[in-house]
Structures are given as structure tokens and as C-alpha cells.
Amino acid sequence: MSDHRNAPRIVIDLDLPGPVVSRHLYGHFAEHLGRCIYGGFWVGEDSSTPNLAGIRADVVEALRALRVPNLRWPGGCFADEYHWRDGIGPRSERPRMVNSHWGDVVEDNSFGTHEFMALCELLGADPYVNGNVGSGTVRELSEWIEYLTRADDSPMAALRRRNGRDQPWRVPFIGIGNEPWGCGGNMRAEAYADLARRYATYVRNHGENQVYRIAAGANADDYAWTEALMKALGCVSCGDTTAFEAVSLHYYTMSGTWADKGHATSFGQDDYYRTMAAATRIDELLTRHSTVMDRYDPGRRIGLVLDEWGTWWNVEDGTNPGFLYQQNTLRDALVASVHFDAFHRHADRLVMANIAQTVNVLQAMILTDPETGALVLTPTYHVFAMNTGHHDAASLAVHIVGAGTRQVAGGTLPLLSASATTRGDTALVSITNLDADAGCTTVLDLRGRGVTGHSATILTASAIQAHNTPDSPDQVRPQAFEGVRPHPRGLQLELPAHSYVTVELALEETDD
Ligand code: AHR
């Protein structure tokens, strides 16, 4: 047996649970963009594809396994062009519009408010409705929340009833515009902050429905934007939070630049490592935005919502450049796993996150074939599936000692990433070996509680470029992981190169 006394250690205090990892950190995003809604979620009632009142049954089934906690809709950039009244009433009578951001295609509004709420009900997901600030009105947004959530015979509740829905829906999350610094109106931070206060004033709580209002936040490292929003809140610690309950943040991962983002499947090791350096940067962004927020809100009452994240590659050859359709490899899966590690570490401030996007757009869970309709689960889907045990569990502090590093683009990339949560007499540990070539013997140094059993799952493939297609849907799929041995400090793992492993631990009961 080889000597692994110098193996990297992942040290976990199993008896010191920290902040709860909200299930909402595993949220999703569905925009009227390319084939996300049309062809992805929605095929219409007359389609030969099996559907539930127009919604693809196989997509619903696959997503139910992920326990999707919330779904953001209708955008993104589309949200600031969307007028909700165009998407209610008989479908044949709904006005059409041009989706000028995404492909300049005609949108027939056949998927609107009722269809979205039906989708959320099928998924068991909380709706996160993003309002139109860029080209809408305060009245429009105010009436939308009334239409959605009011029970009595108010004008909007009556209109909803005429459109076939008696009971109000529960809508816990409302976005006040999207990317106002860009596609949402090209505003300056202070101007938007004032608008956000104004719009949020008229997003009312109707009856039992309590709305969590999310102001549209910064792009990546624009800390000045976060500062302007926090200033606009007034004295948070005095309880003066009449404006909004959270600010958002958007951050996309790519190996290149916005002009040439890199290819989804044809990439080399340098691209891979640059991607991983970009992905792990999310930890710094969350830390620094939180630090800005702490200055105005030391009690952490205002939430940070990362409502767009994921990889963004050049579109697949031969597809509409405005549709943002891209393949998804093992590399994307590891981008997701290191994001989740960061999310777990920031559970005390980060209250929600939404991957962009769920089907057929950017870092999707599901790809559907436009010709045959065949459905493929991506490597990223499997990371979400392997992580459902983290939803609403308590985070555990994790310390990594002695892991290898690599110099990437002037910085140091740690090659091991890990996080852990606990619930009752169980714990779930996530470990990513980012090394493209080398396996890694690693010790799980488990302290504070006895471990009575374990089981482990691995997601890896022969190459970092491996991906799933309709002809070969299982190139990257989770499998039982046999590389776990007892170790005097806990467990020893033989992690293959470029792999993601989850270890579920059974713990001795405690009296606490
Ligand atoms: O997710 C795609 C687009 O990226 C969204 O519409 C926009 O908010 C962001 O720029």
C-alpha cells in the first residue's frame, strides 16, 4: 500500500452546523429566449410530444427529480420588453410582439402568466416573476401582482377569474427589472435605485401573499452598483426596509472574452483551467459584494440573489446566434460543483441563485433535439441531482489542507474544492478534483461525531470534453463510487482526475 501521509486533507467539524443552505440556491431560470420556452418547456396542447396541457411531460419529469425550488421568468432581458397583459386570455387572440433581444423573432405570447404558473405547479417550484421596469410602468407591475395574488373581487382578481383561474396563486418572489445597467434600460445606478424604490412601493402584499422584492443588481465585480442600491435602502438596521428585500448579482463563466467566449466542446487544457479559474472567482465576488452590503446592513437582513450564473460559450455552429444554444460537457459540471461549494460557504448572505438557463439555453440541465424532440440530460443536470441532499441542510465549515495548485492567468487555482452540509444524523460532502490529468488521494478528516456508514457517487468521464447527445446520452452520468476506504482520521478517497464526488455519511446520534 502506498504512503499517503502527505495526502491533502478535507477537515470537517461534523458537530458544528452553520447557516442553513437554502434550497433556493438551487433555483432555475426560464426566459423567452431561443428554444428555452418554445420547444423546451412548451410544445402546445396539440403537439405529438406527450404534454401536460401544453408543457412537455418528459421535461417536467426530469426536473421534478431535481426538486426545483424556484423558477425565474420571463427574463432576463426579455422581462424588460414583456407586457404581461399580452400573455393572458384565449391564446388565439393574444397580441404578437418582436423579441428583439433574442433572435429578433416574433413572439406569439402563447406561453404567458397562466402557462407559467401551471408549469411551476407541475414542478412544485415557487414562482419568481421578473417585472418590467425598462419599458413598462409602475401600474403594469402593480396590477400584475394583484392579478396573480389577490383573492377578492378586485379588478385584476376578477380579470383572472374571467381567464379561468379562481384562486390566487402564491408568488413569493418578484424581480424589479433586470440588468438596468444594460438591456434593462441603460441606467445609472442612482437613477435605477430610485426607480426600484418607486416600483417596489406598488408591489403589494395581497392577502396572505408576502412578496420578497429583488432589486436588479450588479454585473460581476461592479461593487459600486451594489453600494448604490444599499445606500438607497436607507437605514436597514433601523427597520426602514420599505423598498426591497434583496439585491441581485449576475456572473457568467467563460474561458475567453465576451467577444470570443470559447467553444463548448472543442477546448484544450489551457481553456479548461482558465474556465475553472473564472468559475472559482465567484467566491471572491460573493465575499466582496457581501462586504459592501455589510457596511449598510451588518445584521444581514437584505439578501443577495445570484439570479443569473453559469457558463456562456460561443453558440453551436449552425444555430441562431440569438438563441444562445450550447452543448454542455463534464467541464460545465465541474463549473457547477465549484459554484455550489461557494454558495454553501456564503449561505449566511446568499439567499437564492438561478442557473442560466434550465432548457436549451446557456448552461442547461436539459437539451432537446429540434428535429426529433429527443431529450438529453446534461452533465450539469447530474450535479444538481447529486446535490439535492444539500437543500435546506445546515452548512459545515470545511478546511482543505495541502491541496495542489496550478498557476492560471496570473493567479493560483486550488485543484481541490469541497463543501459539506448536515441534517439530523447524516452529512453530505461534495468534493471536486479539478486536476485535468492527475487523480488525487484525499483524506476526509472527520471530527466531532462518529461516522457509522457511508455511500458515495461519482460524476466523471474519460475526457473533460465528454458530453451527452441523443445518440449517446450516458457519456457523463453518476455512478456508485468505490474509491472510499476507512482511514484513521475518517475516510480516504481515491479521486480520479476531473471528477465530482459526493459522500453521504451516516452519523452517530447526538443528544444535542
Ligand atoms: O441569460 C441570458 C441573458 O444574460 C439574460 O437575458 C440577461 O439578463 C443576461 O445578460
Side-chain angles (χ1 to χ4, degrees), residues 351-412:
V351 296
M352 190 193 295
N354 302 74
I355 187 143
Q357 299 190 6
T358 310
V359 188
N360 288 336
V361 169
L362 299 178
Q363 190 175 353
M365 313 297 103
I366 292 173
L367 301 176
T368 64
D369 188 297
E371 308 297 325
T372 65
L375 175 150
V376 167
L377 303 179
T378 67
T380 300
Y381 173 95
H382 295 306
V383 176
F384 273 74
M386 288 165 74
N387 277 22
T388 54
H390 288 304
H391 294 198
D392 291 334
S395 57
L396 290 167
V398 170
H399 300 278
I400 302 179
V401 184
T405 59
R406 187 182 168 107
Q407 291 308 302
V408 185
T412 303

Side-chain angles (χ1 to χ4, degrees), residues 402-446:
T405 59
R406 187 182 168 107
Q407 291 308 302
V408 185
T412 303
L413 174 70
L415 293 173
L416 263 188
S417 176
S419 63
T421 60
T422 185
R423 184 198 323 268
D425 296 329
T426 63
L428 181 63
V429 187
S430 288
I431 309 121
T432 308
N433 178 17
L434 290 175
D435 198 310
D437 291 321
C440 175
T441 299
T442 305
V443 172
L444 278 191
D445 188 337
L446 302 170

Side-chain angles (χ1 to χ4, degrees), residues 29 31 33 72 75-79 101-102 178-179 181 183 250 252 258 308 312 324 356-357 361-362:
F29 176 28
E31 181 165 11
L33 194 179
R72 178 175 181 239
C77 294
F78 182 76
H101 279 298
W102 305 123
N178 171 75
E179 298 193 351
W181 36 264
C183 64
H250 289 179
Y252 285 99
W258 279 104
E308 288 186 28
W312 194 324
L324 309 188
Q357 299 190 6
V361 169
L362 299 178

Side-chain angles (χ1 to χ4, degrees), residues 276-509:
M276 291 308 157
T280 54
R281 190 173 168 231
I282 187 61
D283 194 86
E284 177 193 325
L285 295 174
L286 295 174
T287 302
R288 294 185 64 182
H289 282 286
S290 292
T291 303
V292 172
M293 294 173 75
D294 283 347
R295 285 208 290 275
Y296 298 86
D297 174 29
R300 301 201 165 179
R301 299 175 55 184
I302 302 299
L304 181 59
V305 171
L306 181 68
D307 54 12
E308 288 186 28
W309 69 273
T311 56
W312 194 324
W313 310 121
N314 298 335
V315 298
E316 289 297 316
D317 294 344
T319 65
N320 185 327
F323 281 14
L324 309 188
Y325 177 78
Q326 63 189 42
Q327 247 297 354
N328 190 298
T329 66
L330 180 64
R331 174 178 62 165
D332 294 77
L334 303 187
V335 166
S337 66
V338 300
H339 271 76
F340 288 132
D341 289 339
F343 295 177
H344 300 165
R345 285 192 287 276
H346 289 275
D348 55 348
R349 177 66 91 174
L350 188 67
V351 296
M352 190 193 295
N354 302 74
I355 187 143
Q357 299 190 6
T358 310
V359 188
N360 288 336
V361 169
L362 299 178
Q363 190 175 353
M365 313 297 103
I366 292 173
L367 301 176
T368 64
D369 188 297
E371 308 297 325
T372 65
L375 175 150
V376 167
L377 303 179
T378 67
T380 300
Y381 173 95
H382 295 306
V383 176
F384 273 74
M386 288 165 74
N387 277 22
T388 54
H390 288 304
H391 294 198
D392 291 334
S395 57
L396 290 167
V398 170
H399 300 278
I400 302 179
V401 184
T405 59
R406 187 182 168 107
Q407 291 308 302
V408 185
T412 303
L413 174 70
L415 293 173
L416 263 188
S417 176
S419 63
T421 60
T422 185
R423 184 198 323 268
D425 296 329
T426 63
L428 181 63
V429 187
S430 288
I431 309 121
T432 308
N433 178 17
L434 290 175
D435 198 310
D437 291 321
C440 175
T441 299
T442 305
V443 172
L444 278 191
D445 188 337
L446 302 170
R447 303 174 179 194
R449 286 182 75 175
V451 174
T452 57
H454 64 263
S455 64
T457 306
I458 185 165
L459 188 73
T460 190
S462 53
I464 47 183
Q465 296 84 0
H467 55 278
N468 298 333
T469 65
D471 292 335
S472 196
D474 288 326
Q475 287 297 304
V476 189
R477 70 183 162 91
Q479 291 178 291
F481 180 49
E482 308 298 344
V484 187
R485 307 271 173 281
H487 183 277
R489 291 178 184 265
L491 296 169
Q492 179 173 307
L493 312 179
E494 302 298 335
L495 301 172
H498 52 260
S499 61
Y500 176 58
V501 166
T502 52
V503 184
E504 199 173 333
L505 304 171
L507 306 177
E508 274 175 1
E509 283 179 28

